[in-house]
Coordinates of all heavy atoms in Angstrom, one line a residue:
R53 N 15.1 11.4 7.0 CA 16.0 12.3 7.6 C 15.4 13.0 8.9 O 16.1 13.4 9.8 CB 16.5 13.3 6.6 CG 17.6 14.3 7.1 CD 18.2 15.1 6.0 NE 17.2 16.0 5.4 CZ 16.8 15.9 4.1 NH1 17.2 15.0 3.3 NH2 15.9 16.8 3.7
N54 N 14.0 13.2 8.8 CA 13.3 13.8 9.9 C 12.3 12.9 10.6 O 11.3 13.3 11.0 CB 12.6 15.1 9.3 CG 13.5 16.1 8.7 OD1 14.2 16.9 9.4 ND2 13.6 16.1 7.4
F55 N 12.7 11.6 10.6 CA 11.7 10.6 11.1 C 11.2 10.9 12.5 O 10.0 10.8 12.7 CB 12.4 9.2 11.0 CG 11.4 8.1 11.2 CD1 10.5 7.8 10.1 CD2 11.3 7.4 12.3 CE1 9.6 6.8 10.2 CE2 10.4 6.4 12.5 CZ 9.6 6.1 11.4
E56 N 12.1 11.2 13.4 CA 11.6 11.5 14.8 C 10.7 12.6 14.9 O 9.7 12.6 15.7 CB 12.8 11.6 15.7 CG 13.6 10.4 15.9 CD 14.8 10.6 16.8 OE1 15.0 11.7 17.3 OE2 15.6 9.6 17.1
L57 N 10.9 13.6 14.0 CA 10.0 14.8 14.0 C 8.6 14.4 13.5 O 7.6 14.8 14.1 CB 10.6 15.9 13.1 CG 9.9 17.3 13.2 CD1 10.1 17.9 14.6 CD2 10.6 18.2 12.1
F58 N 8.5 13.6 12.5 CA 7.2 13.1 12.0 C 6.6 12.3 13.0 O 5.4 12.4 13.3 CB 7.4 12.4 10.7 CG 7.5 13.2 9.4 CD1 8.7 13.6 9.0 CD2 6.4 13.6 8.7 CE1 8.8 14.4 7.8 CE2 6.4 14.3 7.6 CZ 7.7 14.8 7.1
Q59 N 7.3 11.4 13.6 CA 6.8 10.5 14.6 C 6.2 11.3 15.8 O 5.1 11.0 16.2 CB 7.9 9.6 15.2 CG 8.0 8.3 14.5 CD 8.9 7.3 15.2 OE1 9.9 7.7 15.8 NE2 8.6 6.0 15.2
E60 N 6.9 12.3 16.3 CA 6.5 13.0 17.4 C 5.2 13.7 17.1 O 4.2 13.7 18.0 CB 7.6 14.0 17.9 CG 7.2 14.8 19.1 CD 8.3 15.7 19.6 OE1 9.4 15.7 19.0 OE2 8.1 16.5 20.5
Y61 N 5.1 14.4 16.0 CA 3.9 15.1 15.6 C 2.7 14.2 15.5 O 1.6 14.5 16.0 CB 4.1 15.8 14.3 CG 2.9 16.7 13.9 CD1 2.7 17.9 14.4 CD2 1.9 16.1 13.0 CE1 1.6 18.7 14.0 CE2 0.8 16.8 12.7 CZ 0.6 18.1 13.1 OH -0.5 18.8 12.8
L62 N 2.9 13.0 14.8 CA 1.8 12.1 14.6 C 1.3 11.4 15.9 O 0.1 11.1 16.0 CB 2.2 11.1 13.6 CG 2.3 11.6 12.1 CD1 3.0 10.6 11.3 CD2 0.9 11.8 11.6
Q63 N 2.2 11.3 16.8 CA 1.9 10.6 18.1 C 0.8 11.5 18.9 O 0.0 11.0 19.6 CB 3.1 10.4 19.0 CG 3.9 9.2 18.5 CD 5.2 9.1 19.3 OE1 5.6 9.9 20.0 NE2 5.9 8.0 19.0
Y64 N 0.9 12.8 18.7 CA -0.1 13.7 19.3 C -1.5 13.3 18.9 O -2.5 13.5 19.7 CB 0.2 15.1 19.0 CG 1.4 15.7 19.7 CD1 2.4 16.4 18.9 CD2 1.6 15.7 21.1 CE1 3.5 16.9 19.5 CE2 2.7 16.2 21.7 CZ 3.7 16.8 20.9 OH 4.8 17.4 21.5
G65 N -1.6 12.8 17.7 CA -3.0 12.5 17.1 C -3.3 11.0 17.3 O -4.3 10.6 16.7
G66 N -2.5 10.3 17.9 CA -2.8 8.8 18.1 C -2.3 8.0 17.0 O -2.8 6.8 16.8
F67 N -1.4 8.5 16.1 CA -0.9 7.7 15.0 C 0.5 7.2 15.3 O 1.3 7.8 16.1 CB -0.8 8.6 13.8 CG -2.1 9.0 13.2 CD1 -2.7 10.2 13.5 CD2 -2.8 8.1 12.3 CE1 -3.9 10.6 13.0 CE2 -4.0 8.5 11.8 CZ -4.6 9.7 12.1
Q68 N 0.8 6.1 14.7 CA 2.2 5.5 14.9 C 2.8 5.4 13.5 O 2.2 4.9 12.5 CB 2.2 4.1 15.5 CG 1.7 4.0 16.9 CD 0.2 4.1 17.1 OE1 -0.5 3.4 16.4 NE2 -0.3 4.9 18.0
L69 N 4.0 6.0 13.4 CA 4.7 6.0 12.1 C 5.9 5.0 12.3 O 6.7 5.0 13.2 CB 5.3 7.3 11.8 CG 5.8 7.5 10.3 CD1 4.7 7.5 9.3 CD2 6.5 8.9 10.2
E70 N 6.0 4.0 11.3 CA 7.0 3.0 11.4 C 7.8 3.0 10.1 O 7.3 3.3 9.0 CB 6.4 1.6 11.7 CG 5.6 1.6 13.0 CD 5.0 0.2 13.3 OE1 5.0 -0.6 12.3 OE2 4.6 0.0 14.4
R71 N 9.0 2.5 10.2 CA 9.9 2.4 9.0 C 10.5 1.1 8.9 O 11.0 0.5 9.9 CB 10.9 3.5 9.2 CG 12.1 3.5 8.2 CD 13.1 4.6 8.4 NE 13.5 4.6 9.9 CZ 14.2 5.6 10.4 NH1 14.7 6.6 9.7 NH2 14.6 5.5 11.7
D72 N 10.5 0.5 7.7 CA 11.2 -0.7 7.4 C 12.3 -0.5 6.3 O 11.9 -0.3 5.2 CB 10.2 -1.8 7.0 CG 10.9 -3.2 6.9 OD1 11.9 -3.3 6.1 OD2 10.4 -4.1 7.5
S73 N 13.5 -0.3 6.7 CA 14.6 0.0 5.8 C 14.9 -1.1 4.8 O 15.4 -0.8 3.7 CB 15.8 0.4 6.6 OG 15.6 1.6 7.4
N74 N 14.6 -2.3 5.2 CA 14.9 -3.5 4.4 C 14.1 -3.4 3.1 O 14.6 -3.6 2.0 CB 14.7 -4.8 5.1 CG 15.0 -6.0 4.3 OD1 16.0 -6.0 3.6 ND2 14.2 -7.0 4.4
Y75 N 12.8 -3.1 3.3 CA 11.9 -3.1 2.1 C 11.7 -1.6 1.6 O 11.0 -1.4 0.6 CB 10.5 -3.7 2.5 CG 10.6 -5.2 2.6 CD1 10.6 -5.8 3.9 CD2 10.7 -6.0 1.5 CE1 10.7 -7.2 4.0 CE2 10.8 -7.4 1.6 CZ 10.8 -8.0 2.9 OH 10.9 -9.3 3.0
G76 N 12.2 -0.7 2.3 CA 12.0 0.7 1.9 C 10.6 1.2 2.0 O 10.0 1.8 1.1
V77 N 9.9 0.9 3.2 CA 8.5 1.3 3.3 C 8.3 2.0 4.7 O 8.8 1.6 5.7 CB 7.6 0.1 3.3 CG1 6.2 0.4 3.7 CG2 7.6 -0.6 2.0

Side-chain angles (χ1 to χ4, degrees):
R53 189 169 64 245
N54 299 281
F55 192 73
E56 292 182 359
L57 190 63
F58 277 92
Q59 269 192 323
E60 184 178 353
Y61 182 85
L62 287 164
Q63 283 173 355
Y64 288 126
F67 292 97
Q68 293 80 47
L69 193 67
E70 298 180 349
R71 170 181 51 185
D72 189 302
S73 299
N74 184 38
Y75 290 103
V77 173

